[in-house]
Amino acid sequence: NILLNSGIKERDYVYVDDVVDAFLLAKDKKFEFQNVTINLGGGVSYALIEIVKKIISIAKSRSKILIGKLSDRPMEADKWLLDNSKALKLLGWRPKTSIDNGLTKTVSYYRKYNL
């Protein structure tokens, strides 16, 4: 069984390889200012319940989702959606990996290494 909070809070997920690509692009860049903050997101928000259902489907799991068994964090934002426009402008970066492809790769990794 998978214990979940309400599952309705939305987050902008990004695949780790895409983040590494952005870091590699940024490492040799010279920016106008010493400290520059650049958002790196997948560009779409997904509710946690959607992500869990996708993972169950990809993994062909028989796990049951038990919604409401955990508390939502107090005062947590309902939705996060990052603006990648600075990453595109300054680094020429945009995410390449779809949520489904990223989750499939992640499930495969966990199975390969028996995690």
Side-chain angles (χ1 to χ4, degrees), residues 1-70:
N1 290 333
I2 299 170
L3 306 180
L4 214 56
N5 56 20
S6 69
I8 61 173
K9 305 281 184 170
E10 295 184 20
R11 298 293 174 261
D12 185 347
Y13 299 94
V14 62
Y15 189 62
V16 66
D17 286 356
D18 290 342
V19 174
V20 170
D21 288 346
F23 284 2
L24 292 173
L25 289 169
K27 75 177 180 65
D28 295 322
K29 288 282 184 183
K30 301 279 190 245
F31 297 107
E32 182 180 350
F33 301 102
Q34 183 176 356
N35 296 312
V36 176
T37 301
I38 300 173
N39 290 327
L40 303 173
V44 179
S45 280
Y46 295 92
L48 179 59
I49 188 70
E50 290 178 80
I51 298 299
V52 172
K53 286 178 179 178
K54 285 177 181 288
I55 293 169
I56 287 173
S57 175
I58 292 165
K60 296 179 178 37
S61 171
R62 290 189 226 162
S63 297
K64 301 284 185 238
I65 303 169
L66 302 178
I67 296 173
K69 293 296 181 180
L70 301 174

